[in-house]
Amino acid sequence: LSQMVAEHSHLGAKTVAKRTNAVVAFVRWAAEAKLVPSSLYHDLATWERPRGSGQPPVTRDPASVRDVAAVCRSLRQRGRVTLLAMIRVQWHTGMRAGELCRLHTDELDTRGMIWWYTPSQHKTAYLGRRRQIAIGPHASSALRAVWPDGGGYFFRPAESMRGGRGGAMVQAGACYTSESYAQAIQRE
């Protein structure tokens, strides 16, 4: 395991911890199933975990207005209404990608000129905090363009794949995740 960590010393602390924990969990399962000696799991469980490369996390500058406008033009030309709406809503509200992806009609108060989104899941929900995100006229017009029939999640990968590349069938989830949203933008 130490050799694996050394070979991947360029990885960040979170990635190293996640991969190490997966190996330890697998060995625990194998020990419980009597496939490996239980002492192996004990050795791993007491092993001092690596801390990553020691490098600070990579910081990225925010997207420029010019870059966002270019991506929006490209999406508009390709008819990618869902992704275009996602970018416009995120740009005008500043909400986190995960909150955007889980935007649901049940969590949206559309009374008044300013709409309010109260996500049930968010970064500080475990602390018992309530989060409200104001949605102004620009973002609300983008949401109207993709309003789901019968309610539900606004941004569904299956809806986005209509008119997508090459007609490829993709097993889509109920809503985008931060990762699938980033991948969809990178593909474009």
Side-chain angles (χ1 to χ4, degrees), residues 59-80:
T59 58
R60 292 186 175 91
D61 292 330
S64 70
V65 174
R66 178 190 286 165
D67 291 342
V68 172
V71 169
C72 287
R73 270 193 306 278
S74 173
L75 291 172
R76 194 175 295 112
Q77 289 169 351
R78 293 169 166 214
R80 301 301 299 255

Side-chain angles (χ1 to χ4, degrees), residues 168-186:
M169 293 301 292
V170 176
Q171 182 66 31
C175 66
Y176 274 96
T177 63
S178 300
E179 294 81 14
S180 62
Y181 173 41
Q183 288 172 354
I185 297 299
Q186 288 170 353

Side-chain angles (χ1 to χ4, degrees), residues 108-128:
L108 195 60
D109 179 0
T110 59
R111 295 173 295 180
M113 207 166 113
I114 303 296
W115 295 357
W116 293 96
Y117 170 40
T118 309
S120 58
Q121 297 177 11
H122 59 87
K123 188 175 178 177
T124 58
Y126 74 99
L127 296 172

Side-chain angles (χ1 to χ4, degrees), residues 2 36 48 88 140 149 155 188:
S2 294
V36 298
E48 187 174 335
R88 288 182 59 207
S140 62
D149 294 335
F155 307 114
E188 294 299 322

Side-chain angles (χ1 to χ4, degrees), residues 89-131:
V89 170
Q90 191 171 18
W91 181 265
H92 290 292
T93 62
M95 71 174 73
R96 298 178 183 108
E99 294 166 339
L100 173 74
C101 293
R102 290 186 301 272
L103 182 59
H104 195 280
T105 55
D106 291 347
E107 298 175 333
L108 195 60
D109 179 0
T110 59
R111 295 173 295 180
M113 207 166 113
I114 303 296
W115 295 357
W116 293 96
Y117 170 40
T118 309
S120 58
Q121 297 177 11
H122 59 87
K123 188 175 178 177
T124 58
Y126 74 99
L127 296 172
R129 294 187 182 153
R130 183 174 175 209
R131 178 156 163 80

Side-chain angles (χ1 to χ4, degrees), residues 22-81:
V23 170
V24 172
F26 174 74
V27 171
R28 178 182 177 191
W29 169 82
E32 288 173 354
K34 308 278 189 232
L35 299 173
V36 298
S38 59
S39 61
L40 179 59
Y41 168 69
H42 177 71
D43 291 345
L44 280 177
T46 58
W47 177 61
E48 187 174 335
R49 307 273 167 99
R51 302 270 182 223
S53 65
Q55 301 293 326
V58 176
T59 58
R60 292 186 175 91
D61 292 330
S64 70
V65 174
R66 178 190 286 165
D67 291 342
V68 172
V71 169
C72 287
R73 270 193 306 278
S74 173
L75 291 172
R76 194 175 295 112
Q77 289 169 351
R78 293 169 166 214
R80 301 301 299 255
V81 178

